[in-house]
Amino acid sequence: MSVLVLVLAVCAACCLGFGFVLQQNAAQRAPLGDFLSPRLLLDLVRVPRWLAGMGLMVAGLVLGAIALGGGELTLVEPLLATNLLFALALSRIQNRQPLGRQGWAGLALLAGGVTAFILAGEPRGGSAVTDPLRHWLILGIMLGLALLLTLCAARLRLTWGPTLLALAAGLVYGVQDALTRVSGRRFSAGGFAEVLTSWQPYAVAVLGITGLVLVQSAFETAPLRRSLPALTAAQPLAGIACGVGFLGDRLRTDAGALAWQAGGLAAVVAGIVLLGLHPAMPQGTGESGRERALERS
């Protein structure tokens, strides 16, 4: 396990967490008519705070890509999930809200769960699965589920819409991370010529834009606590599924190790939920007014 990979992944999580908070601060003031539309990005690109958040997010994506180039997806993804800790830290500074028992419990569950999963699973690389059917089946399930969640979110904007959109975005970003890992392997094998003649880097770009629209639409319609926990939980689960499913990542499979891995992932999800519901997370401004506006639309 490379210390550099660990440092890069945690730095990526820091940039992502700070970036998400700044993006939501700006997106909550965007026109409601831009919901699930690329026009939303055109409106937000004129907002300095959103641009700052995007800059941090891009930095996080770059650091995450470098970490994926040197480590397994099953190792990097759980570490990226700690972005919620950094989002909570910035939100706590903005709102001056004490961490309290809930915050400390969520922090302990998230950090302990990530540690337990990594130590018990001992993620390591292996040969990528060459069966194209298995490859496309896993991608199809992840993206098909993301599409289904998005369609449901369009009908349930006032209730579960933001959470469903965030879940969909998390699945999209998990697949994007897997394809980023594939692109890195191709670059190591044949340089830019090998990368530019394969479909994966172009899919990474399309998935990145799609995920961005989903995330900003979720940020636009509800406080961060209704979207970021779902996004943070779905992304590592999708990434781990892709890593084990077709990238050849290996985890320990004896009964004890599997039990600790399952317990670690459960603790990660529980910690994410506790931190996401913490009072320090941004509540949004004028939420009731936005919901009335949505009801009239």
Side-chain angles (χ1 to χ4, degrees), residues 45-255:
V45 78
R46 297 193 292 267
V47 182
R49 178 167 293 203
W50 188 82
L51 290 175
M54 274 301 301
L56 286 169
M57 182 178 177
V58 170
L61 292 175
V62 171
L63 291 172
I66 297 173
L68 287 169
E72 288 68 45
L73 199 62
T74 47
L75 169 64
V76 175
E77 286 289 5
L79 293 171
L80 292 180
T82 61
N83 72 77
L84 194 62
L85 299 178
F86 298 100
L88 179 65
L90 179 56
S91 299
R92 182 171 176 267
I93 293 173
Q94 291 180 340
N95 300 334
R96 298 181 180 179
Q97 182 78 30
L99 200 58
R101 292 182 179 178
Q102 179 179 341
W104 284 111
L107 188 154
L109 283 170
L110 179 54
V114 169
T115 302
F117 178 82
I118 292 174
L119 292 180
E122 297 181 4
R124 55 198 182 278
S127 300
V129 176
T130 57
D131 182 7
L133 178 60
R134 184 172 172 180
H135 185 109
W136 287 108
L137 180 61
I138 295 173
L139 291 182
I141 290 174
M142 295 296 171
L143 297 180
L145 183 56
L147 177 59
L148 179 61
L149 290 169
T150 302
L151 293 175
C152 292
R155 293 176 174 270
L156 301 170
R157 287 194 290 175
L158 293 177
T159 52
W160 290 96
T163 302
L164 295 178
L165 283 179
L167 285 171
L171 294 176
V172 169
Y173 282 145
V175 173
Q176 182 192 34
D177 289 341
L179 296 182
T180 299
R181 173 70 169 154
V182 174
S183 299
R185 287 181 175 178
R186 289 186 175 275
F187 178 78
S188 298
F192 284 109
E194 179 72 16
V195 172
L196 296 178
T197 54
S198 61
W199 60 269
Q200 284 87 357
Y202 305 103
V204 167
V206 172
L207 291 174
I209 295 173
T210 302
L212 191 59
V213 172
L214 294 175
V215 167
Q216 301 308 317
S217 294
F219 288 171
E220 177 192 26
T221 51
L224 202 62
R225 62 165 59 191
R226 290 178 57 189
S227 55
L228 189 55
L231 170 66
T232 306
Q235 183 173 350
L237 295 178
I240 291 170
C242 291
V244 175
F246 63 83
L247 288 180
D249 286 6
R250 297 179 181 178
L251 298 169
R252 288 178 57 193
T253 56
D254 57 276

Side-chain angles (χ1 to χ4, degrees), residues 263-278:
L265 289 178
V268 167
V269 173
I272 285 170
V273 172
L274 281 178
L275 292 175
L277 296 177
H278 193 277

Side-chain angles (χ1 to χ4, degrees), residues 269-294:
V269 173
I272 285 170
V273 172
L274 281 178
L275 292 175
L277 296 177
H278 193 277
M281 295 299 284
Q283 299 292 309
T285 57
E287 181 186 359
S288 60
R290 294 181 72 81
E291 290 185 350
R292 289 193 294 271
L294 278 171

Side-chain angles (χ1 to χ4, degrees), residues 36-50:
L36 284 179
S37 170
R39 292 195 310 270
L40 176 59
L41 302 183
L42 297 178
D43 287 326
L44 290 173
V45 78
R46 297 193 292 267
V47 182
R49 178 167 293 203
W50 188 82

